[in-house]
Amino acid sequence: MNEYRGKHAPSAPWAVASTASVPVRHARHLQKRRRRRVWIAFLFVVLLVIAVYPLVEARILTTDKVLLHSEALPFDANHLRIVFLSDIHWGFWFSDADLNNLIVKINSLRPDLVLFGGDYATDHESALQFFRKLQGMTKIHSRYGIFGVPGETDCGEDSQDRVLLSEAMLNAGITPLLNKAEYIQIGSGKICIAGLDDVSAGKPDLKSLVSSISGADYVVFLAHNPSVIPDAQLTQDSSGSLSWFNLGLFGHTHGGQMMLLSGLLGIADDVPGRYLSGWLTENRVNLLISRGIGTSVYPGRLFCQPQIHLIEVVCN
C-alpha cells in the first residue's frame, strides 16, 4: 500500500458575498417602502381635506358685528340696528331648512332694518320661488321694514320679468328697490334707503336715483355689485353734492369664495380687487362688501366663511 507522503494543499475557497450586507439592503428597502406609504397616506389626507373642508366651511355662518358713528344719523334713530345679507343662492345647496334657520338668525339680531343685497336664488324662476317660499315661513321681524335689490341671477330677460320679481318681493313682505329711494320717518329725522338695479343684468339708473334723494338725514346706498362704487361717488344729488350717501352695502363677490383658488371660479371678475371683501372707508363714506351667504359655481368655501352683518349706527 503506497503511502501518500506529500502535503495536500487545500484549494482556495470560492468567493462568497458577505451575508451581513443582505439584511442591511433589505432594511433600507423596507424603510423606503414605509416612507413612500407615509407620503401617499399624507397626500391622500391632504386631498381629502381639500375636497371636504370647503363643503364644511360653506355651512359655517358667521355674524359680522360692527359699530359705526355718524353725525348725520337723526338723534331719534340712535343705535339703529341694520341687518344686511346678500347672495343667499337658495337651491340645491341651500335648502328650505337652511332658509328657515337663516330667518331665525335674522330675528335673533333684533333688527330695526333688514336689507337684502340680491342673488336670492340661482336664476329668475328660482328667485320667484324663493319669495313664494318666504311667504310660508317664519316671518322676518324688522322695526322699520325690509328692503332689497336684485342681483344678476334674479333679473330675468325683460321688463316683464322685473315686474314679476317686484311683485314676488312685495308679496313676501320685502320692498323692492329698483332705482328707487324709500324714506323712513323716525321721530323728527328721516332715513333714506336708496336701491340700484343690478349693473350687469338689470337697467341701473344711478343719476335718476341720486337726483331723487332730498331731505334725508342719513342715506344707505344698497346695490348688488360693488363695481358701481366709483360712479356712485362721482354722481351729484339734487343739491349738487357728491357726498349723498353715508353707508354703502354691496355683495356679489362672495369674498372670492375660495381663497387662493378664486381665479379658477371666475366669480366677480368684473369687480376691482380693492372691492373684493370687507369694510372700506372712501371719501368719508363707510363701504361694506359682504362675503354673502351661499355659493356659486362650486358649493364650497375656502378661508372665506359665509356671513351675515349686524351694523349698529350711533349718533356722534
Side-chain angles (χ1 to χ4, degrees):
M1 181 176 180
N2 293 328
E3 183 179 355
Y4 175 71
R5 299 185 180 188
K7 293 182 179 181
H8 179 72
S11 60
W14 291 97
V16 178
S18 173
T19 57
S21 64
V22 174
V24 171
R25 286 199 303 270
H26 183 63
R28 288 175 180 172
H29 181 67
L30 289 177
Q31 288 177 359
K32 289 181 180 179
R33 290 180 62 184
R34 290 193 192 101
R35 284 196 294 266
R36 189 180 301 115
R37 289 173 181 172
V38 169
W39 275 108
I40 291 173
F42 175 75
L43 290 175
F44 176 78
V45 171
V46 169
L47 291 175
L48 185 63
V49 169
I50 291 175
V52 174
Y53 174 74
L55 302 178
V56 175
E57 183 175 313
R59 314 292 298 179
I60 305 173
L61 179 62
T62 59
T63 303
D64 172 46
K65 298 181 179 180
V66 173
L67 181 67
L68 301 180
H69 296 264
S70 175
E71 296 178 354
L73 187 72
F75 178 78
D76 292 323
N78 194 24
H79 293 282
L80 182 72
R81 295 170 67 87
I82 301 172
V83 169
F84 172 61
L85 58 158
S86 184
D87 300 275
I88 297 172
H89 289 287
W90 171 78
F92 183 81
W93 296 104
F94 196 91
S95 67
D96 292 353
D98 295 324
L99 181 57
N100 189 71
N101 291 336
L102 180 60
I103 295 172
V104 171
K105 179 66 175 178
I106 293 172
N107 290 337
S108 72
L109 298 175
R110 297 177 292 107
D112 295 316
L113 278 172
V114 174
L115 304 178
F116 286 94
D119 274 8
Y120 304 95
T122 57
D123 55 26
H124 173 67
E125 290 300 324
S126 59
L128 299 181
Q129 295 177 33
F130 168 84
F131 292 113
R132 295 188 192 109
K133 286 286 183 182
L134 279 185
Q135 296 180 53
M137 290 189 169
T138 304
K139 181 179 175 60
I140 298 175
H141 301 292
S142 178
R143 187 177 182 183
Y144 300 124
I146 309 168
F147 304 86
V149 294
E152 77 275 4
T153 65
D154 311 310
C155 288
E157 298 181 355
D158 52 36
S159 58
Q160 181 59 31
D161 285 341
R162 204 125 39 254
V163 170
L164 293 174
L165 179 66
S166 296
E167 291 176 349
M169 293 177 72
L170 283 170
N171 291 336
I174 300 173
T175 301
L177 299 177
L178 284 74
N179 305 319
K180 185 180 179 182
E182 286 283 341
Y183 293 87
I184 304 167
Q185 191 75 39
I186 304 178
S188 59
K190 190 182 295 184
I191 290 175
C192 175
I193 313 297
L196 186 70
D197 201 355
D198 185 67
V199 299
S200 60
K203 295 182 178 180
D205 191 344
L206 184 61
K207 185 176 180 179
S208 175
L209 171 65
V210 177
S211 64
S212 70
I213 298 173
S214 176
D217 298 293
Y218 189 83
V219 179
V220 179
F221 177 41
L222 184 62
H224 177 67
N225 194 321
S227 63
V228 75
I229 294 174
D231 290 337
Q233 293 177 329
L234 295 175
T235 303
Q236 296 180 344
D237 64 10
S238 57
S239 64
S241 173
L242 295 175
S243 302
W244 60 271
F245 69 102
N246 306 94
L247 172 64
L249 302 176
F250 312 90
H252 182 59
T253 68
H254 299 193
Q257 190 170 310
M258 298 281 289
M259 289 297 184
L260 308 177
L261 300 173
S262 58
L264 298 177
L265 299 181
I267 296 175
D269 288 341
D270 54 335
V271 178
R274 70 181 182 277
Y275 298 137
L276 179 63
S277 177
W279 284 94
L280 298 170
T281 301
E282 290 186 356
N283 299 328
R284 295 180 294 179
V285 174
N286 294 304
L287 305 172
L288 168 64
I289 298 92
S290 175
R291 296 197 298 261
I293 301 291
T295 58
S296 180
V297 182
Y298 173 69
R301 286 175 174 265
L302 185 61
F303 311 132
C304 187
Q305 292 178 356
Q307 58 185 179
I308 185 174
H309 305 271
L310 174 61
I311 305 160
E312 185 172 0
V313 189
V314 298
C315 301
N316 265 353

